[in-house]
Amino acid sequence: MSLPRAPKAVVFDMDGLLCDTEVVYRDAMTAVAIEHGHDMPLSLFQSMIGLPGPSSDQKVLDHFGADFPILTFNSRVRELVDAACVAGIALKAGVIELLDHLDEIGLPRAIATSSSHRAVEAHLGRSGVIPRFDTIVARGDYARGKPNPDPFLTAAQRLGVAPELCLALEDSHNGVRAASSAGMMTIMVPDLLDPTAEIETLCVRIARDLHEVEALVRASR
C-alpha cells in the first residue's frame, strides 16, 4: 500500500515519535505525584499526551484540585526529565533511516511539537538530528496548540508546501487530530496510545514504526 499521493514535505511530531520521551514524562509525573501524596492514573497521563503545557496543567488541576501546586510539580518533573536527557534519550526506531531517505529524494521536513524550543534542544540535541530539519515549530510559534491545526499549518507555511501535499507523522491522538484538521496526509505511529476507531478514520495509515513509514514514502514516488 502506498500513500494517496507523493508527499512534497514531511512534518514530524517530536515526543514519542522521534524520541522515546513520553515514557520519561509518564514516569516522572507519576513519581512527582507520589511525592505530593497523590497517585496519577495512567488515564490522566494518557489524556495529556500531545497537548501543550497549559492544557496539560489544566487536566492535572481538574483531577487533583485547584490548590494542587502545579508550578512546583512542573518544576520537579522538568528536573527529572532533564536528568534523563543528560543520561541520554533514545531515538525511535527508523528515525535515521527515514531522514537519510528524505535527504536522498530531497524532501524538506519540519518538527511540529507542543513542547518548547528548550525541550527540543534537551530531547534531541545530543542525538545530532536537529540540523537535519528545515524548521522547528514549537510552543510559542503558533496561536493554538494541538489538537488545533495551527502547529502543522505553521510548519507547512514555513516549508512553502501546501498542507495537502505534506505527510504528517504523529504518535498521539491529539496530534493526529491536529494534523488531519490541517489537511495533511496523516500517519499514526503508536507509542503509548493505541489508535481508536476515530483516529483510524483520520489517518491514511497506522504504521508500526518509522521503518514502515520509509517504505510507504518509497512506494509513493
Side-chain angles (χ1 to χ4, degrees):
M1 176 181 174
S2 61
L3 299 171
R5 50 197 171 274
K8 300 301 182 185
V10 182
V11 183
F12 294 74
D13 176 48
M14 180 178 70
D15 296 305
L17 188 282
L18 286 172
C19 52
D20 202 16
T21 38
E22 293 292 14
V23 66
V24 175
Y25 276 101
R26 180 198 65 196
D27 293 349
M29 287 185 178
T30 300
V32 177
I34 290 172
E35 291 177 1
H36 286 277
H38 296 279
D39 289 325
M40 173 171 276
L42 179 59
S43 59
L44 173 59
F45 174 77
Q46 289 175 326
S47 73
M48 296 158 61
I49 295 176
L51 292 178
S55 298
S56 294
D57 289 350
Q58 191 58 54
K59 284 186 174 290
V60 172
L61 292 171
D62 289 344
H63 183 82
F64 292 128
D67 60 346
F68 184 79
I70 190 67
L71 295 180
T72 303
F73 175 81
N74 286 341
S75 178
R76 177 65 174 140
V77 168
R78 190 177 305 114
E79 181 181 319
L80 295 180
V81 172
D82 284 349
C85 290
V86 170
I89 298 291
L91 292 176
K92 301 290 281 188
V95 170
I96 299 301
E97 292 84 353
L98 178 54
L99 291 175
D100 286 347
H101 180 59
L102 297 182
D103 285 344
E104 291 170 9
I105 61 178
L107 283 194
R109 77 296 308 239
I111 291 173
T113 177
S114 295
S115 296
S116 64
H117 282 280
R118 173 194 177 280
V120 173
E121 184 60 42
H123 297 177
L124 292 177
R126 291 170 63 92
S127 71
V129 301
I130 292 177
R132 303 190 67 176
F133 292 89
D134 297 280
T135 188
I136 308 294
V137 177
R139 189 169 68 239
D141 294 333
Y142 42 78
R144 302 174 301 164
K146 302 173 186 179
N148 297 292
D150 302 34
F152 288 96
L153 292 175
T154 301
Q157 182 180 41
R158 288 187 182 181
L159 293 173
V161 178
E164 62 269 20
L165 297 179
C166 293
L167 176 64
L169 307 178
E170 267 286 355
D171 70 290
S172 75
H173 298 168
N174 289 310
V176 166
R177 293 179 184 116
S180 177
S181 64
M184 295 187 178
M185 296 177 284
T186 305
I187 294 177
M188 182 181 183
V189 185
D191 180 38
L192 298 185
L193 295 173
D194 293 324
T196 62
E198 174 218 354
I199 294 303
E200 289 181 354
T201 67
L202 300 179
C203 293
V204 299
R205 183 70 174 254
I206 307 297
R208 65 181 178 276
D209 57 28
L210 293 177
H211 290 298
E212 185 174 338
V213 173
E214 180 193 347
L216 287 166
V217 173
R218 288 182 181 275
S220 71
R221 303 303 293 171

